[in-house]
Amino acid sequence: KFLGNRGVKDEILNFDAHRISPEMRRDVARILKQKPLSFEQSNITRVSVAAAPLAAWVKANIRYSVILETLEPLENQLASEEQTAVRCKQRLDKCEAEIAEIDERVLDLKNEFGSKTREAEKLRARLELAEQTLDKASELLSKLGEEQERWQEQEKSLALELMSLPRKLLVAAGFVAYLGKYSENERQSKLSVWTQAVG
């Protein structure tokens, strides 16, 4: 009767052994134990040729459900590990994106550093030039200061000479005008007296 139901073939083909609960397995195992002769191939074949493969299928699914139950912790662990792997992959993708962003930032900073370094080199060159110019200017000012002192001394000397020039001219004029007729000794004697007289 069961085998005559519509769709039973598809239900058997698509049956998932995961659906067998421990209670169902215990019930079937109890029946198999209570009626072992009913599930022997030769006995089933005498009653129904179609039922023999179905009985073998039931036994196989029971054994398979035991294996599945044994594997269930491993399957759960595998599912957990797969979830962990997915999370790790997501974290890895995030880290790789962050690394790419950091690499891009580092490249920007390197370029900026290179630009600042070149600018600093230009400023250093300009500073060296300014220092050289300042040193030359200081040297020139020092020389000009010395020259100014020399000029001031010359100015004082020339001022003194200018102040004594009228007296010297007076002595010179007197010498030319009056001492020409005297001897050399007399001219020297009178010139000495006049020079002392005019100061």
Side-chain angles (χ1 to χ4, degrees):
K1 183 178 178 182
F2 170 74
L3 293 176
N5 291 338
R6 175 180 287 178
V8 71
K9 179 181 175 184
D10 291 335
E11 188 175 342
I12 291 172
L13 291 174
N14 296 322
F15 183 77
D16 183 5
H18 288 92
R19 290 164 49 192
I20 300 175
S21 66
E23 293 79 13
M24 291 171 62
R25 192 169 55 249
R26 282 195 298 271
D27 290 344
V28 173
R30 190 179 68 252
I31 294 171
L32 290 173
K33 189 175 182 180
Q34 288 174 354
K35 301 179 180 180
L37 296 178
S38 298
F39 289 91
E40 286 185 7
Q41 186 77 16
S42 57
N43 293 335
I44 297 172
T45 305
R46 280 199 305 269
V47 176
S48 171
V49 175
L54 183 60
W57 176 82
V58 169
K59 289 180 180 179
N61 270 293
I62 293 300
R63 286 194 299 271
Y64 184 53
S65 73
V66 171
I67 294 170
L68 288 179
E69 186 177 25
T70 304
L71 291 178
E72 184 177 5
L74 296 176
E75 287 180 336
N76 293 338
Q77 184 178 356
L78 176 61
S80 174
E81 294 297 333
E82 285 176 346
Q83 290 176 355
T84 303
V86 168
R87 288 194 299 272
C88 289
K89 178 65 170 63
Q90 291 172 346
R91 178 64 181 151
L92 176 62
D93 292 343
K94 184 179 179 182
C95 289
E96 286 177 345
E98 288 176 359
I99 289 171
E101 185 177 345
I102 291 170
D103 286 343
E104 186 177 351
R105 179 63 181 147
V106 167
L107 182 60
D108 290 343
L109 289 174
K110 281 183 179 178
N111 293 335
E112 185 178 351
F113 177 74
S115 174
K116 296 294 183 185
T117 302
R118 288 189 295 274
E119 185 177 342
E121 187 63 26
K122 289 178 183 177
L123 289 173
R124 188 187 63 79
R126 287 173 60 187
L127 179 60
E128 286 182 359
L129 181 61
E131 287 176 346
Q132 291 172 2
T133 304
L134 183 59
D135 289 343
K136 289 179 181 178
S138 297
E139 184 180 354
L140 180 59
L141 284 173
S142 176
K143 289 181 179 179
L144 287 174
E146 293 173 3
E147 191 69 17
Q148 184 182 18
E149 290 177 5
R150 192 175 62 82
W151 289 344
Q152 286 173 348
E153 291 297 323
Q154 285 182 345
E155 183 184 7
K156 288 178 184 178
S157 176
L158 288 172
L160 291 173
E161 287 184 18
L162 282 173
M163 287 175 63
S164 64
L165 186 59
R167 293 187 295 273
K168 289 180 180 178
L169 288 174
L170 180 62
V171 171
F175 185 89
V176 171
Y178 299 107
L179 298 179
K181 59 182 179 179
Y182 296 99
S183 67
E184 180 66 28
N185 287 335
E186 289 178 314
R187 284 197 298 261
Q188 276 299 125
S189 176
K190 291 185 182 298
L191 182 61
S192 178
V193 172
W194 288 355
T195 301
Q196 288 179 3
V198 296

